[in-house]
Amino acid sequence: MTTAGLRAARAVAWSVLPAELVLVVCLVAGVRVPAPVLSGAEALVAAVLVLDASVLWRLYAARRRAGTGRRAALRWAVGALVPVALRRLVVHEFRALHSLGLWVLRRRHRVAEGALPVPYTAPQTGVMYTFAFVSVLETVVLALVIPWPLVHAILLVVGVYGVVVVLAIHAACVTRPHLVGADGSLRLRYGALFDLRVPASVIASARADRRFPGGGPVRVDEDGALDLAVGGWTTVTVELTEPVEFVRPLGRRGSARTLRFNADDPRAAVAALATPAPPLTSSPPLTPSPAPPLTPERTAPSSTPDPPA
């Protein structure tokens, strides 16, 4: 498979995506789409699917000929055809909606037994609720102001979906807190966008340290430190003995030897990192108590012997 063919397949897929999204919004909103337009859109989507399937099969076959297993070859072919950023955005969308369900059920995502959850959503809770309220208000105002039924229906669907997305992003942060393991390990998360596991063996020190790095929630400063900020600041700084690698929300990789993140209770997080729980030890085997020494009473026969004749 040539590089030019792969680029062409990606370009065609990207060009059809906006048109298909508009069509889906119209159908969900109850807008009647003319039959020729609907047929043409479906034919175009089918052609794109055939093209992408052909490219995917060629990539898969080439990898299989190189001796790769079926599952690994399929994973590699999908990774080569679909851009990393698009894959991660789609996965994040599904994980956020799943987190919304966990939030409604008051459950958390994969909190191991003995681990300490470290919430970090306090600085952004008010902002996220404000965004949701503004989205609802905007949807209602546009429904009252816009007189055209088609535009009104489309904006209604977009507005409702926007409210759901805002709540899902916040729910992902609530249900996926940072974790301090029972062994002193650290797991840093920001919703479904970021996940970093740090073993206890590389953690040198931890301290409460309020900083205002600015920028996005995941950034690397000039000194090579990773800032996982919430609300524009961090409250805990962790120094490592060696750099750890991480993956940014859109797929770019990096490494850092200093980690700074936000915690609602930084002192509790630092205390848990400084004093990990002792490892579980098995109880010593039970040894049988020694038998009491034999005495004449214990060695006497159970029945009295007959008297001599």
Side-chain angles (χ1 to χ4, degrees):
M1 183 66 191
T2 62
T3 305
L6 184 60
R7 290 180 178 176
R10 288 181 176 179
V12 171
W14 277 106
S15 62
V16 173
L17 185 61
E20 188 68 14
L21 181 61
V22 172
L23 183 61
V24 169
V25 171
C26 291
L27 292 176
V28 173
V31 179
R32 291 185 178 181
V33 181
V37 175
L38 186 59
S39 301
E42 295 302 326
L44 182 60
V45 171
V48 171
L49 291 177
V50 170
L51 175 62
D52 289 342
S54 175
V55 174
L56 183 66
W57 172 255
R58 292 182 183 180
L59 294 173
Y60 173 79
R63 205 66 179 180
R64 287 287 291 158
R65 287 193 298 268
T68 308
R70 294 180 179 179
R71 183 175 297 181
L74 181 60
R75 187 183 300 111
W76 181 87
V78 172
L81 180 61
V82 182
V84 177
L86 178 60
R87 294 201 313 269
R88 294 186 67 87
L89 287 176
V90 172
V91 171
H92 170 259
E93 196 83 2
F94 282 104
R95 288 178 177 175
L97 295 175
H98 173 257
S99 300
L100 188 59
L102 293 178
W103 190 35
V104 173
L105 297 176
R106 297 182 179 274
R107 297 173 57 186
R108 287 175 172 172
H109 181 267
R110 294 185 180 180
V111 177
E113 184 178 358
L116 173 67
V118 181
Y120 52 85
T121 56
Q124 72 175 22
T125 300
V127 177
M128 300 302 289
Y129 285 157
T130 301
F131 281 162
F133 175 75
V134 170
S135 299
V136 172
L137 184 62
E138 180 184 13
T139 303
V140 173
V141 170
L142 291 177
L144 296 175
V145 172
I146 296 178
W148 305 286
L150 174 61
V151 179
H152 171 265
I154 293 176
L155 291 180
L156 178 62
V157 173
V158 174
V160 171
Y161 184 72
V163 175
V164 173
V165 168
V166 171
L167 294 177
I169 292 175
H170 181 62
C173 294
V174 173
T175 58
R176 298 168 185 262
H178 305 314
L179 298 175
V180 179
D183 59 348
S185 60
L186 176 63
R187 184 177 183 182
L188 296 179
R189 299 192 283 190
Y190 183 75
L193 285 172
F194 186 83
D195 194 343
L196 171 62
R197 300 174 185 264
V198 183
S201 57
V202 302
I203 297 179
S205 64
R207 65 182 184 274
D209 181 22
R210 183 181 292 268
R211 290 175 177 264
F212 299 87
V218 181
R219 62 182 297 272
V220 179
D221 64 7
E222 299 177 353
D223 300 331
L226 172 64
D227 291 319
L228 194 61
V230 179
W233 71 79
T234 61
T235 57
V236 178
T237 298
V238 176
E239 302 289 347
L240 307 178
T241 58
E242 61 184 48
V244 293
E245 295 185 354
F246 59 87
V247 181
R248 297 189 180 188
L250 294 183
R252 294 180 58 187
R253 294 184 174 271
S255 62
R257 193 167 180 171
T258 301
L259 308 177
R260 293 193 283 260
F261 62 94
N262 193 291
D264 294 348
D265 189 353
R267 294 184 178 180
V270 171
L273 289 170
T275 56
L280 297 177
T281 57
S282 57
S283 57
L286 297 176
T287 56
S289 58
L294 296 177
T295 61
E297 290 78 6
R298 290 177 59 87
T299 57
S302 59
S303 61
T304 306
D306 296 334

